[in-house]
Amino acid sequence: MAIKTEQKQSQRLALNRQLQLSLQLLAMGNDRLLETVNEELERNPALMGDVYSMPLLPAGQAALENLAGAAGVSLAQELEEQLGAERRPVDKGLAKQLIALVDENGYLRVRPAAIARAAGVSQERVQAVLDILRSYEPAGVFAQDLADCLLLQLQRRGDAPPLAAELIESGLEELGRGDMDALAARLGASRPQVEEAAAYIRTLQPKPGAAFCSGEVQYVRPDLEVVCEDGRLAVRELRPWRLELCRDYAGAARTMEPEARAYLKQESMRARRLLLAVEQRSDTLLRVARLLVQRQEAWFLNNAPLETLTRAGLARQLQLSESTVCRAVKDKYFLWARRAVPLKELFCNGLAGGSSASQVQAGMRRLLEQEDPAKPWSDRALADALAAQGVAVGRRTVAKYREQMGVPAAGYRKRRKRRE
């Protein structure tokens, strides 16, 4: 009885080790998996095989391509373009130094006095240049801190509720805690007035530079390749390795010392677990990827917007847990149209009214491409035009997607056209 109990416990332990290894490998992309395979080939005498050279490719996005990023435009390049078209008198050499100091979120974290000392000029001269640069797009750029950033946008819009500026200047901490009653009491206003101002502030962009390309390119080894054969899509795994058990040790083990034989048995079991885990990873990855590609076939073949599809929905279809699907798409890329695209980009959350984020952005992109440069679409006009096409979306959602797409506000698009 005791022997049977020990055998069951041993089997459970082996299953747990196998499951843990399978889950670990499923969550790995090709780069990390190649490292694991290489390490095991070097240390395990019971495993043999080869790792093949596979080129690194620049990673790209599939569905929500940033219009600024698609052209490779960084925030610094956008600001320098506006400086080049500047008609007001400005020290352009000093202005370029200030542009170089702006961080990726659009903030100028260095104080004007420190800049003046470093540049060997007066603080008044630095401030004069800053006053011009702070009028550039995106609104809020060259701000010193969050409150300064939000106030710059507030001044530019000109349609803020009465309490908005006061809330930004002295109530951001309470606003972050959602303490509306305390704010209302301190400001001598009603709660609805405070809530109206708070809702308006939430439409502002705390990181005005975030929509632009950082200039950094990530290089990856794709895990999969999507190809079109006779009008049908196929998914193939890109496996830059060959692994198998080393059979030479099987006969030699009989003549080995007990200690050596026990070691080789242990390493053989370890090699078998790795081989099985690699195969399980391949099977799960291909199941997930093939259904994803099937569901988003229109995007691949017709460049149509992505259909609404969540990880939970895909998991239900495949009868897998959502966590398994999350592991399967984590750090995975597929090769399509000479780009390495994140597999997770094929998911698309739905919005109220049944439209997907991708469909909304595709509709916005079509409208923006057709707009009259002299009368560019405002966010409200874009929302109304989308509604007329059956895509129900609010103005604030349009503003959020426009910023994600790297498209400046209507006022700046109009001013840029005049400069051209």
Side-chain angles (χ1 to χ4, degrees):
M1 188 68 178
I3 295 174
K4 288 184 179 179
T5 302
E6 287 178 9
Q7 286 177 338
K8 288 181 179 179
Q9 289 176 343
S10 178
Q11 288 171 351
R12 279 198 296 268
L13 182 60
L15 285 172
N16 286 339
R17 286 178 180 170
Q18 185 66 58
L19 178 60
Q20 289 171 8
L21 182 60
S22 296
L23 292 176
Q24 288 170 4
L25 265 55
L26 182 60
M28 292 181 186
N30 252 359
D31 286 335
R32 181 69 187 93
L33 186 56
L34 275 173
E35 291 178 16
T36 301
V37 167
N38 261 325
E39 290 169 4
E40 197 63 21
L41 280 171
E42 289 176 4
R43 69 160 301 282
N44 193 335
L47 190 68
M48 61 183 294
D50 297 295
V51 174
Y52 311 116
S53 176
M54 185 177 177
L56 290 165
L57 296 173
Q61 285 190 327
L64 306 180
E65 282 197 337
N66 181 311
L67 294 189
V73 178
S74 68
L75 176 60
Q77 289 171 321
E78 172 65 21
L79 294 172
E80 287 185 3
E81 181 185 334
Q82 295 176 64
L83 178 64
E86 182 60 68
R87 294 180 179 177
R88 291 169 288 184
V90 61
D91 182 340
K92 292 194 174 181
L94 181 56
K96 287 182 179 180
Q97 292 181 50
L98 293 174
I99 289 172
L101 293 173
V102 172
D103 68 19
E104 62 183 8
N105 294 321
Y107 286 82
L108 181 66
R109 304 290 186 180
V110 187
R111 296 293 173 184
I115 296 171
R117 286 194 298 272
V121 299
S122 68
Q123 188 172 336
E124 289 74 17
R125 186 171 175 181
V126 172
Q127 193 60 54
V129 174
L130 262 180
D131 288 341
I132 290 175
L133 294 177
R134 282 160 64 92
S135 70
Y136 285 2
E137 291 287 341
V141 76
F142 287 98
Q144 295 279 317
D145 52 37
L146 176 60
D148 187 27
C149 177
L150 299 178
L151 285 171
L152 280 173
Q153 296 174 59
L154 209 68
Q155 294 160 9
R156 192 83 61 88
R157 286 194 183 184
D159 62 347
L163 283 177
E166 195 171 356
L167 269 182
I168 292 171
E169 289 170 348
S170 64
L172 282 182
E173 188 175 336
E174 291 161 295
L175 193 61
R177 295 196 304 265
D179 199 347
M180 302 298 178
D181 291 328
L183 278 170
R186 184 166 63 78
L187 299 175
S190 67
R191 183 183 174 104
Q193 287 176 317
V194 172
E195 288 176 341
E196 179 191 16
Y200 183 89
I201 291 169
R202 291 190 191 99
T203 68
L204 304 177
Q205 174 55 269
K207 297 178 180 179
F212 290 83
C213 174
S214 67
E216 297 178 1
V217 179
Q218 180 186 8
Y219 287 86
V220 298
R221 290 181 177 87
D223 303 79
L224 305 159
E225 181 181 22
V226 180
V227 295
C228 186
E229 299 173 336
D230 300 324
R232 297 182 65 84
L233 295 171
V235 181
R236 300 170 180 163
E237 185 183 15
L238 299 176
R239 187 185 287 199
W241 64 78
R242 179 188 60 81
L243 292 175
E244 60 180 311
L245 282 173
C246 184
R247 304 296 178 185
D248 294 343
Y249 283 98
R254 300 188 187 95
T255 61
M256 289 181 178
E257 294 293 327
E259 187 176 338
R261 193 160 57 245
Y263 168 74
L264 184 58
K265 181 180 178 182
Q266 177 183 324
E267 292 304 300
S268 295
M269 289 174 62
R270 181 184 174 98
R272 284 190 175 90
R273 282 197 297 268
L274 178 66
L275 291 170
L276 179 57
V278 167
E279 291 306 316
Q280 288 173 334
R281 174 189 183 271
S282 296
D283 290 344
T284 304
L285 179 57
L286 284 170
R287 282 183 67 198
V288 170
R290 282 168 177 158
L291 185 54
L292 265 173
V293 170
Q294 178 187 328
R295 290 288 303 274
Q296 305 296 5
E297 184 180 43
W299 179 82
F300 283 95
L301 299 180
N302 305 319
N303 201 27
L306 291 175
E307 296 294 328
T308 299
L309 180 61
T310 64
R311 289 166 175 79
L314 192 79
R316 283 193 297 271
Q317 281 190 261
L318 291 171
Q319 296 184 331
L320 296 172
S321 68
E322 187 175 350
S323 63
T324 297
V325 171
C326 289
R327 286 188 179 93
V329 300
K330 183 178 183 290
D331 297 333
K332 309 299 191 305
Y333 293 80
F334 64 89
L335 184 61
W336 172 255
R338 293 178 295 180
R339 288 186 303 161
V341 184
L343 191 59
K344 65 183 180 181
E345 288 291 315
L346 295 181
F347 291 106
C348 186
N349 292 325
L351 300 173
S355 301
S356 72
S358 177
Q359 289 169 331
V360 172
Q361 287 204 348
M364 288 175 61
R365 194 171 286 117
R366 286 193 297 271
L367 291 168
L368 289 166
E369 288 170 352
Q370 299 166 7
E371 76 176 358
D372 181 354
K375 297 179 180 179
W377 294 91
S378 67
D379 293 338
R380 169 54 60 195
L382 282 169
D384 292 343
L386 288 168
Q389 296 175 8
V391 180
V393 64
R395 179 187 65 80
R396 291 174 187 169
T397 302
V398 167
K400 180 181 76 171
Y401 287 150
R402 175 180 55 74
E403 289 164 359
Q404 288 178 354
M405 292 161 64
V407 178
Y412 172 67
R413 300 203 302 278
K414 188 173 183 179
R415 289 196 297 274
R416 182 166 60 182
K417 180 61 183 177
R418 286 173 180 168
R419 290 200 300 266
E420 292 171 354

